Amino acid sequence: MRRVYLDYNATTPLAPEVFETMKPYWLGEYGNASSIHWYGQRAKAAVEQAREQVARLIGAQPAEVVFTGGGTESDNAAIFGVVGAAQSATKHVVTSTIEHHAVLFTAMALEPCGVSVTLVPVGSSGVVDPADVARAVRPDTVLISVMHANNELGTIQPIAEIGRIAREHDVYFHTDAVQTVGKIPIDVEELGVDLLSLSAHKLYGPKGVGGLYIRRGTALRPLLYGGHHERDRRAGTENVPGIVGLGKAAELAGEHMVEDALSVSALRDRFEEGILSSVPLARINGDVSRRAPGTTNISFDCIEGEGFVIALDLKGLACSTGAACSSGSIEPSHVLAAIGKTKEQARSSIRFSFGRYSAPEDVDCALVTVPDAAARLRSMSPHWENAFSHQLSTIDAAIGE
Ligand code: PLP
């Protein structure tokens, strides 16, 4: 059975070049980057080279990049860090309803401490309106956090416009760019962000390592206290092999970006066209005109998403739903709820995400597997016949007019 991986937004495979670059740092190059001896200095040099590689990819100064334990930690460090350092008597944070839980739950965790949080809503496009962000800002707003591309829909947010609003109001601005770093060009100056989160395992690097861009001069309280690592901004012995891997992944991403983006969007677009023409009542969620290259999110009426993912997995195709399993029940995706989908529509939605190693044969295979599985599951659904005949009569009526 051919296995097809269409879940690049969940994680990417490690690039072989990244693995080769990391290897010595698991073996002979085992120094602690804080040690003053030969071993330590070699490790430190490798960490500093990685810092330069990451900084180059996002248009930052190396000293503005702090290594972390991944995207989640970067988001937590940015939000808790800015709010913790703010001196005002009352504090307010603006974020959006479609953020990853690493931002959403972090912001909400501040509420019991007296911080107020405004969640800016989005329409069916899945794109935040900068005017809504401007309206949400108050005199005591200390941080705006809006993600660069949504992980479920792929929709790219108007970060540069929001950056200008943040500047006008003199408010710090964080973006979670975990789904865009390495995929589309990023320049922290053009985006006007003060903080930006990234994660190695979304750009063909290792899991458990990430970065946080912190604009020079940003007042930030550290999340972790301990040694003087990372210029006192993130205590803890550096994960040297992981950081080296992130650096190499960043360098490769810069080299491959254009070619990756073109091939990945071509595969995604061919897949979408194939699905829309072969599966009745399949609908794409979110604004298709401004999406990260490899992502599509499709609702399949009358199909329960979890069951669909399992059926596809049994046929060798890996993809995902945005649903989260909480306290034993499956909660439909908060992102799909935020763009106005009903629980049923949200539960019938699947995310397919393509990447550097996706091949045209993967799309050919998926264009057989997905329609087959959809037809089989619908043939077992008590609602399908009604939904389909209702749709046909709507189309007939429209043609009749
Ligand atoms: N932010 C976004 C938008 C993500 O997609 C993810 C991971 O899926 C994260 C944050 C968390 O990153 P990590 O898995 O490195 O903790």
Side-chain angles (χ1 to χ4, degrees):
M1 179 172 68
R2 182 188 173 93
R3 288 218 169 261
V4 174
Y5 184 76
L6 297 185
D7 204 11
Y8 276 77
N9 284 18
T11 196
T12 56
L14 192 72
E17 303 93 315
V18 171
F19 180 56
E20 287 305 321
T21 311
M22 290 171 71
K23 245 165 105 183
Y25 296 90
W26 292 116
L27 301 166
E29 304 277 3
Y30 48 77
N32 181 325
S34 301
S35 301
I36 55 172
H37 49 60
W38 184 85
Y39 293 91
Q41 291 313 297
R42 286 179 68 87
K44 185 170 171 51
V47 167
E48 293 316 314
Q49 187 190 349
R51 207 184 301 284
E52 280 171 25
Q53 289 163 316
V54 172
R56 202 169 305 127
L57 184 64
I58 60 170
Q61 294 300 316
E64 296 173 313
V65 173
V66 170
F67 292 115
T68 67
T72 302
E73 185 190 319
S74 298
D75 287 341
N76 275 258
I79 297 168
F80 286 141
V82 166
V83 172
Q87 299 295 319
S88 49
T90 59
K91 298 177 195 176
H92 173 237
V93 173
V94 176
T95 184
S96 84
T97 50
I98 57 165
E99 297 301 310
H100 189 273
H101 285 146
V103 166
L104 217 43
F105 288 169
T106 305
M108 283 153 68
L110 289 164
E111 285 180 313
C113 314
V115 177
S116 41
V117 177
T118 299
L119 299 182
V120 173
V122 295
S124 59
S125 63
V127 179
V128 174
D129 182 346
D132 288 336
V133 174
R135 269 191 291 276
V137 172
R138 312 189 321 204
D140 61 347
T141 304
V142 294
L143 177 69
I144 298 171
S145 179
V146 175
M147 71 198 318
H148 196 191
N150 181 264
N151 46 301
E152 291 185 37
L153 304 169
T155 46
I156 297 175
Q157 308 302 318
I159 296 304
E161 287 93 318
I162 299 172
R164 280 193 282 278
I165 292 164
R167 281 284 141 78
E168 276 163 27
H169 292 86
D170 198 18
V171 171
Y172 282 134
F173 180 30
H174 165 249
T175 190
D176 174 342
V178 165
Q179 291 293 347
T180 49
V181 170
K183 294 181 190 165
I184 58 174
I186 290 189
D187 184 315
V188 290
E189 297 304 330
E190 280 173 21
L191 293 179
V193 293
D194 301 300
L195 302 121
L196 178 145
S197 303
L198 59 98
S199 175
H201 75 105
K202 310 287 185 179
L203 61 141
Y204 312 96
K207 293 169 182 58
V209 57
L212 179 63
Y213 158 75
I214 308 171
R215 181 178 293 279
R216 203 165 148 245
T218 303
L220 203 75
R221 186 173 171 170
L223 191 62
L224 303 178
Y225 288 88
H228 297 292
H229 311 88
E230 298 291 289
R231 299 167 196 252
D232 283 329
R233 288 177 300 190
R234 200 273 189 181
T237 300
E238 289 87 351
N239 168 6
V240 179
I243 290 170
V244 165
L246 169 55
K248 183 67 185 175
E251 182 191 294
L252 288 174
E255 291 165 8
H256 286 267
M257 193 178 299
V258 174
E259 131 205 18
D260 276 2
L262 287 173
S263 73
V264 161
S265 358
L267 293 173
R268 189 263 321 265
D269 294 349
R270 183 159 77 82
F271 172 74
E272 270 182 355
E273 282 162 25
I275 293 297
L276 294 183
S277 62
S278 63
V279 183
L281 300 198
R283 295 187 188 92
I284 298 173
N285 296 317
D287 185 346
V288 295
S289 66
R290 42 183 307 156
R291 277 185 304 178
T295 312
T296 179
N297 190 301
I298 308 180
S299 292
F300 297 87
D301 273 18
C302 299
I303 300 183
E304 192 277 313
E306 297 294 306
F308 201 10
V309 168
I310 293 166
L312 293 172
D313 187 42
L314 291 172
K315 295 286 177 195
L317 192 149
C319 56
S320 72
T321 65
C325 207
S326 66
S327 40
S329 71
I330 295 170
E331 284 299 314
S333 144
H334 69 282
V335 174
L336 295 169
I339 65 167
K341 298 289 163 191
T342 62
K343 277 193 173 182
E344 286 65 36
Q345 287 167 334
R347 285 214 176 92
S348 75
S349 301
I350 305 286
R351 177 187 71 188
F352 302 93
S353 46
F354 298 77
R356 186 180 296 162
Y357 306 111
S358 301
E361 295 75 24
D362 292 334
V363 175
D364 298 339
C365 191
L367 286 178
V368 174
T369 314
V370 175
D372 276 1
R376 202 158 40 79
L377 290 173
R378 279 173 170 171
S379 71
M380 294 185 274
S381 159
H383 306 296
W384 172 238
E385 222 158 282
N386 279 347
F388 191 47
S389 50
H390 173 72
Q391 181 72 9
L392 283 183
S393 53
T394 318
I395 293 170
D396 282 348
I399 292 171
E401 281 164 15

